[in-house]
Amino acid sequence: GQSLEQPSEVTAVEGAIVQINCTYQTSGFYGLSWYQQHDGGAPTFLSYNALDGLEETGRFSSFLSRSDSYGYLLLQELQMKDSASYFCAVRDTGGFKTIFGAGTRLFVKA
Amino acid sequence: DAGVIQSPRHEVTEMGQEVTLRCKPISGHNSLFWYRQTMMRGLELLIYFNNNVPIDDSGMPEDRFSAKMPNASFSTLKIQPSEPRDSAVYFCASRSDTQYFGPGTRLTVL
């Protein structure tokens, strides 16, 4: 079967750094993506890792270790507007199908 | 670019009625996905198309659900007859390299 595991909730304070982990078990692997979703909104794309290592985009970075079936999203200099749900997602071997984790709800406190 | 367009944005209907959700993908994207999101079940992939051809409909919950993609710029998801447990937000997404979600249709079946 295919499954992705990520923490259900994370709480952090404004200005801090937070890491959201994702482990996956899939029949194939094409890449790991991260999406952000605010309440009442649609998921929006944040980052994509096809190869091992760190990808940096502004305050957000994403890491992948294919040998460990593990990745994380790192959010720096947290702002109140970062309060949202964050989903990791895996594309299968064929690259067609994207499966989403259950999401991590991030609460940023003042 | 207008992004992925979905209509209607909100739909309230009574049990037993037919519901049709519509999606216009981003021009040039060759893959289209229908997802359903609920608090209990998270973001579920219902069906996806590649080059207008249904590739995997294993996520479609039952025969009451059907989806079509008659051309590269239009897709529908139909529920007939609808039931209260179908109440959810339905997202359409399209992808070339990156997957982009539409704003969603919030369906309420009374």
Side-chain angles (χ1 to χ4, degrees):
Chain A
Q2 301 186 79
S3 67
L4 294 92
E5 291 193 11
Q6 50 182 131
S8 58
E9 281 187 12
V10 174
T11 300
V13 297
E14 225 176 349
I17 299 173
V18 72
Q19 178 174 313
I20 300 174
N21 298 320
C22 174
T23 57
Y24 58 88
Q25 184 175 12
T26 57
S27 56
F29 180 81
Y30 197 78
L32 181 71
S33 301
W34 289 92
Y35 290 79
Q36 178 192 61
Q37 185 180 27
H38 287 98
D39 286 346
T44 57
F45 174 80
L46 289 177
S47 68
Y48 174 68
N49 294 70
L51 302 175
D52 291 352
L54 191 69
E55 294 282 343
E56 297 181 73
T57 308
R59 294 187 298 114
F60 294 179
S61 304
S62 58
F63 172 82
L64 174 65
S65 170
R66 288 175 295 171
S67 60
D68 295 322
S69 298
Y70 164 77
Y72 66 73
L73 179 69
L74 191 74
L75 297 86
Q76 303 182 72
E77 301 173 17
L78 280 175
Q79 302 175 9
M80 297 297 288
K81 67 178 181 179
D82 297 331
S83 292
S85 292
Y86 292 84
F87 295 87
C88 59
V90 169
R91 286 171 66 170
D92 68 6
T93 302
F96 289 132
K97 192 171 182 177
T98 302
I99 303 298
F100 283 77
T104 298
R105 188 152 182 97
L106 172 64
F107 296 94
V108 180
K109 302 191 299 185
Chain B
D1 196 328
V4 178
I5 299 172
Q6 290 187 247
S7 64
R9 295 292 307 277
H10 301 272
E11 177 82 23
V12 180
T13 190
E14 293 188 346
M15 182 174 63
Q17 297 298 306
E18 176 179 299
V19 174
T20 299
L21 311 182
R22 296 173 176 80
C23 176
K24 177 179 169 55
I26 294 172
S27 177
H29 284 192
N30 56 5
S31 296
L32 182 140
F33 305 79
W34 282 101
Y35 291 88
R36 177 173 69 176
Q37 187 174 38
T38 61
M39 288 293 293
M40 292 298 294
R41 301 177 69 90
L43 198 59
E44 301 174 275
L45 177 63
L46 300 178
I47 184 172
Y48 66 98
F49 297 82
N50 193 59
N51 293 326
N52 312 340
V53 176
I55 301 299
D56 186 344
D57 65 354
S58 60
M60 296 285 260
E62 47 198 275
D63 292 345
R64 297 184 298 106
F65 287 68
S66 63
K68 294 182 179 180
M69 192 166 185
N71 57 62
S73 59
F74 185 65
S75 177
T76 60
L77 178 67
K78 185 177 293 187
I79 309 172
Q80 166 63 13
S82 58
E83 297 182 5
R85 58 190 168 133
D86 302 331
S87 297
V89 180
Y90 290 81
F91 288 105
C92 174
S94 71
R95 187 182 75 200
S96 56
D97 290 327
T98 301
Q99 190 162 315
Y100 293 93
F101 283 76
T105 296
R106 183 172 295 276
L107 174 65
T108 303
V109 184
L110 302 174

